[in-house]
Amino acid sequence: MRELLQKGHALCFSFAKIMKFFNVLMCECVNVLMCECAFFLVCMDFFCIFAHLKKVKSYTTMELVDMFSDVMIPARRKKTRMRYRVAVIGGGSWATAIVKILSANLEHIHWWVREDEIVEGISSYGHNPLFLSSVYINPKDVKISTDLRQVVAKSDYVVIVTPSAFLHKTLEPLKKSKLANKKIINAVKGIVPETMQVITEYLKTEFKVPASNLAIISGPSHAEEVAQEKFTFLTAASENEELAKIVAKFFTNRYVRASVSKDIKGAEMAVVLKNIYALGAGIYSGLGYGDNFIAAYIANCLKEMKRFVGSIYAWDDRHISDSVYLGDLLVTAYSIYSRNRMFGNMIGHGLSVRVARMEMNMIAEGYFSCRCIHEMNKEFKAEIPIVETIYGILYESNNVSSEMKRIAEHFV
């Protein structure tokens, strides 16, 4: 009998707990239902207002939705964006990724592209149909155009993202004075082949842009990963520290961190060299060399980079192990997204340089940079055997296998 009473007591206790749970659940449901009803009534009020607006003025459905969203989103969720006027020149993958970064931070972005197809894609659908088409760019946040003069005229800061091989031709329509008073941010990783100059030096001589108005944004940053919002580190470098800090603010958001440096010359030249070295890593990979060897190859590339950059631009505070130097070299040499590694890999697998270039649907900056560094070094006479070996393969039709094997014998 006692056992039966104990079971009954336990059953009653369990039933009481269940009833308490349902009581709490019902209270929550009522609260939610009341909130939903209140929200529904507010919505009905807004839709009544919208219906009236449609009679007074012919608003489109999307305009009404935008107005509704602007009112209903709490102010605390809206991030205050900076009011600098910034232009982006270029329509490729990196340019698209940069527009994505900047549009989170800036109110006024003017974007120049060459192709009408991109203008239509962004304006109508918010996507670049040719590059990084999965990235959404809000057309209300970015004014896109094929009119270079107009885009530059409406901006105080200009981010240049055109491949270096086409930069000279791209900027030809501009009068020399049009960039002189602008703050220029170089995001190009190459050398202008027509003048054999890095981008900032080219802008100084061709457009009379003072050094205090020049900056670069660089670092280990494949556009594909930025598009996926994977955590990325960048460096804003300028002789003008205040400008570098402003640029770092432009490029810092939830998934990108930008630091500041004054070594604009060293960082810009390191960016040029790493594309050449990544091309060499691709050649070795195509020839069948493994990760063990390529790691040693990259270590030797880093030493050559330090030697060459130091011979041209001496800088006591330069740390070659920083991400803007070593980090960018590593990601370009190893990543599956690297165009330069891909280009070199084709050559290592036996394709001729001409055929490999035809197979690439994007620009491998290392191909053009290699010739430029070779020509520049006639003046400086620095010891750069890796660059010279790759130059011989690309431009003098030297045997790929024997030349890469020869230079490997000197690695340590």
Side-chain angles (χ1 to χ4, degrees), residues 35-174:
C35 291
E36 292 293 334
C37 288
F39 180 75
F40 176 76
L41 291 173
V42 171
C43 290
M44 289 299 294
D45 287 341
F46 276 110
F47 282 122
C48 289
I49 294 171
F50 289 168
H52 175 68
L53 288 173
K54 277 214 169 198
K55 292 178 181 178
V56 176
K57 181 180 177 182
S58 56
Y59 288 99
T60 66
T61 303
M62 286 306 297
E63 286 174 333
L64 293 178
V65 170
D66 288 340
M67 291 167 61
F68 179 74
S69 299
D70 289 341
V71 174
M72 293 304 294
I73 294 175
R76 62 183 174 83
R77 289 177 58 189
K78 291 186 178 181
K79 180 182 175 181
T80 302
R81 292 183 294 180
M82 295 177 280
R83 305 191 71 178
Y84 296 92
R85 302 191 308 163
V86 178
V88 178
I89 309 301
S93 297
W94 187 219
T96 304
I98 283 177
V99 170
K100 175 182 169 65
I101 296 170
L102 296 179
S103 61
N105 294 332
L106 299 167
E107 284 190 8
H108 307 291
I109 300 175
H110 300 274
W111 187 8
W112 176 86
V113 296
R114 190 185 308 276
E115 301 86 351
D116 292 325
E117 187 178 354
I118 297 179
V119 174
E120 174 65 21
I122 295 294
S123 301
S124 301
Y125 309 105
H127 294 276
N128 183 337
L130 303 183
F131 303 96
L132 295 185
S133 55
S134 63
V135 172
Y136 177 71
I137 304 293
N138 191 335
K140 295 196 299 182
D141 294 339
V142 178
K143 307 302 181 187
I144 190 166
S145 172
T146 57
D147 188 334
L148 181 62
R149 295 185 185 90
Q150 184 183 64
V151 166
V152 171
K154 290 182 177 180
S155 305
D156 301 313
Y157 293 78
V158 179
V159 184
I160 298 178
V161 208
T162 303
S164 59
F166 309 127
L167 182 63
H168 184 72
K169 186 175 181 180
T170 297
L171 298 182
E172 266 185 345
L174 294 178

Side-chain angles (χ1 to χ4, degrees), residues 25-41:
L25 182 63
M26 287 298 294
C27 289
E28 291 296 324
C29 288
V30 169
N31 288 335
V32 171
L33 184 60
M34 289 176 68
C35 291
E36 292 293 334
C37 288
F39 180 75
F40 176 76
L41 291 173

Side-chain angles (χ1 to χ4, degrees), residues 195-378:
T195 63
M196 297 292 174
Q197 293 172 300
V198 292
I199 310 303
T200 56
E201 291 298 322
Y202 170 79
L203 293 169
K204 284 181 191 177
T205 56
E206 294 293 318
F207 291 91
K208 310 304 178 186
V209 181
S212 59
N213 284 359
L214 290 168
I216 70 166
I217 189 74
S218 187
S221 50
H222 283 306
E224 292 81 0
E225 291 200 355
V226 172
Q228 298 171 43
E229 300 188 356
K230 294 190 175 181
F231 202 30
T232 300
F233 285 88
L234 296 174
T235 298
S238 175
E239 294 180 16
N240 180 350
E241 190 173 2
E242 289 304 312
L243 175 59
K245 288 179 180 178
I246 292 172
V247 174
K249 287 181 181 179
F250 289 175
F251 283 86
T252 295
N253 62 18
R254 178 173 50 81
Y255 53 91
V256 179
R257 295 291 180 273
S259 58
V260 172
S261 170
K262 294 185 72 175
D263 185 22
I264 182 172
K265 294 180 179 179
E268 193 170 26
M269 184 56 71
V271 163
V272 173
L273 289 168
K274 62 95 181 181
N275 286 329
I276 304 171
Y277 297 140
L279 199 156
I283 293 176
Y284 275 124
S285 178
L287 289 170
Y289 289 78
D291 290 343
N292 295 343
F293 173 84
I294 292 177
Y297 162 75
I298 293 172
N300 282 268
C301 289
L302 187 66
K303 289 194 294 183
E304 184 173 296
M305 176 189 289
K306 182 179 180 180
R307 185 167 59 244
F308 183 71
V309 174
S311 67
I312 300 177
Y313 308 120
W315 186 267
D316 293 336
D317 293 331
R318 182 181 297 131
H319 301 286
I320 204 70
S321 59
D322 287 351
S323 64
V324 72
Y325 312 105
L326 175 59
D328 209 359
L329 170 61
L330 289 173
V331 76
T332 312
Y334 277 117
S335 177
I336 59 172
Y337 298 119
S338 173
R339 306 169 192 176
N340 292 284
R341 181 187 169 99
M342 184 188 305
F343 181 64
N345 192 265
M346 292 180 184
I347 295 171
H349 274 105
L351 272 66
S352 68
V353 174
R354 185 179 65 84
V355 172
R357 288 186 64 193
M358 291 172 61
E359 288 291 321
M360 292 286 292
N361 61 352
M362 293 184 288
I363 300 296
E365 291 277 12
Y367 172 78
F368 301 100
S369 297
C370 193
R371 182 176 68 88
C372 295
I373 294 294
H374 169 79
E375 294 297 328
M376 288 175 61
N377 198 44
K378 291 179 179 178

